[in-house]
Amino acid sequence: MNAPPNPAPHSKPVIQIHRMNKWYGQFHVLKEIDLEVTAGERIVICGPSGSGKSTLIRCINRLEEHQEGQIVVDGIELTNDLKQIEQVRREVGMVFQHFNLFPHLTVLENCTLAPIWVRKQPKADAEATAMKYLERVKIPDQANKYPGQLSGGQQQRVAIARSLCMNPRIMLFDEPTSALDPEMIKEVLDVMIELAGTGMTMLVVTHEMGFARTVANRVIFMDGGEIIEQNEPEEFFNNPKSDRTKLFLSQILQH
Amino acid sequence: MTTQNPIAFVRTEHTPDRPPPPSTVGVVGWLRSNLFSTPFNSLLTVVMGLLGAWVIWGALDWLIFGAVWSGGNEACRANPDGACWTFVQIRFDQFVYGFYEKSERWRVDLVLAILFGGVFWSGWENSPGRRYVGMFMLVPFPLLAWGILYGGVFGLAVVETSQWGGFILTLVVALIGIIASLPLGILLALGRRSNMPIIRSVCVVFIEFWRGVPLITVLFMAAYVLPLFFPTGVSFDQLLRALIGVALFSAAYMAEVIRGGLQSLNKGQYEAADALGLNYWKSMRLIILPQALKAVIPGIVNTFIGLFKDTTLVLIIGLLDLLGMVNAAIADPNWSIRSVPTTGYAFVALTFFIFCYGMSRYSRYIEQKLHTGHKR
């Protein structure tokens, strides 16, 4: 696994989160989050379950609403304005833990649906693009099958291709390998590593520390709704500063 | 080689596949496991088989072999121990058309021809342009059918709805109910799950009101109470009022069936549609409803079948549907013969059964066709 190149140092930020807070009822899930992401950056977010890491990336495409602070994605601030939310969602792809493919559509239809209905692409163009990305995730021969006929690893690769078909500027991954059988994790990670090589801006919530070491240029550790520590992967893993980070790393790297 | 580890094991040859034991497969296997698995079950099979044969023989004897097929009421009076099909034959036109003007009955035939033609055309998987035919059947057809049946357009004479009756009335009430209840039910179900509190409460109140009132009450209200609210002199067609009542009533039931389908979907489906930038209506139309409706096809068809049979309740407000016409014909003193009521009701039952069973089979076919191999 070769690490992709680092982004140019003077790139503009594509995501700016400033003093963002979120509550579920009385429960304060995200506290004073500050985060700037530069175009081409690859960020891995880790932390114990319930630490708010999934909630954080779900705020970036407004699957979750924040109550305080500011989130600006690609120059568009996320507010209650539905038009602006849809604009952001067009530019931000998301891959889910449980794939969330549309079971009533074929693999190809899953990939062409949003380009046709949201981007208004002609069907033939959308299909050509979809086949290109299905080849990139190495399952062009499954294009006319239904998701229910594929393995978990194949479904997750289709989900990645489906997001890429919208030609997004940013990709969010919400624990993309956590629901997979062990022998299928590598095929998905390989696709993600290749995607990182193309210069895509990626935010990945994952427990795959090997992936974090090789691919990320920043690792963020969250606990209790706060960002506890962030650093370059080398420093983060070899020389963690916070006690909570040390405890977390010792727990997950034991085996 | 002498120091063997006792738990070490390596398979060196492949175990070939064998066919299953012959007594567990095929006809013999099926009979063994389903009918004759134990002595008690064997006894039960024999007893139930004999009982079934006795019942079926009795029914066939009454319905077909010993039945009167021609000759009018005297023939039936002479043989009251078999079905009196000649009664149905003589009154058949009345059962189908009600009191519809004799010279205008071709209009009913025309509507029935378009209806059955359209249903088969749009229902057959390989027919060309079936989508357009299907859409025609959903919106323009009911209006066109009303125009042809009621008249006053295309230079047709008006046939008042009070003259409609028999099977054609049953079909009109059932089809309007079916065609109106699905889209209304979808809107109500979506409204009940809406984030907007006003829309949600309006839908909840509507659904709970119509669901909480018996259909007979709805029909009574439509027939006798509603006119009290109109200024004197303004009259509003009796049948139309009943149709609106039936449509709203069945829409409330349909809404709850469809809401069940919406709830059966994983939250991830909504999120994936949102994340791709689909707006609310596109995500409903392309992602959510196709799956939700498919999940509740049995429930939807169940509601359709219930509605189709409930149309007989319009009898209570003086509209003579198929059952009403048969009832009226039975009361004729010339036909006061023991076998006539039974035959009349058997005819009604058979007619309803054919239509309901047809709907049921078609829904099974649609379910199998839409199955895409995903587990739920």
Side-chain angles (χ1 to χ4, degrees), chain A residues 58 89 101-104 117, chain B residues 269 271 274 282 286 372:
Chain A
R58 287 158 61 88
R89 285 174 177 168
L101 293 177
F102 305 130
H104 63 304
W117 290 93
Chain B
Q269 293 291 311
E271 289 179 349
D274 283 349
K282 280 180 191 158
L286 301 168
T372 54

Side-chain angles (χ1 to χ4, degrees), chain A residues 58 61 63-64 86 89-90 92-94 96 100-105 110 113-114 117-118 120 146 148-149 162-163 166, chain B residues 266-280 282 285-288 290-291 294 371-376:
Chain A
R58 287 158 61 88
N61 67 351
L63 286 185
E64 302 282 354
E86 277 161 28
R89 285 174 177 168
R90 255 175 270 165
V92 180
M94 186 160 203
F96 298 88
N100 297 352
L101 293 177
F102 305 130
H104 63 304
L105 301 176
N110 263 280
L113 183 114
W117 290 93
V118 179
K120 313 280 180 211
Y146 287 96
Q149 299 165 304
R162 175 175 74 177
S163 290
M166 281 295 278
Chain B
N266 197 318
K267 192 163 152 258
Q269 293 291 311
Y270 293 86
E271 289 179 349
D274 283 349
L276 285 169
L278 293 165
N279 65 25
Y280 177 79
K282 280 180 191 158
R285 185 157 69 87
L286 301 168
I287 307 298
I288 305 303
Q291 296 183 61
K294 187 173 111 184
H371 184 72
T372 54
H374 62 277
K375 289 158 281 175
R376 204 170 230 111

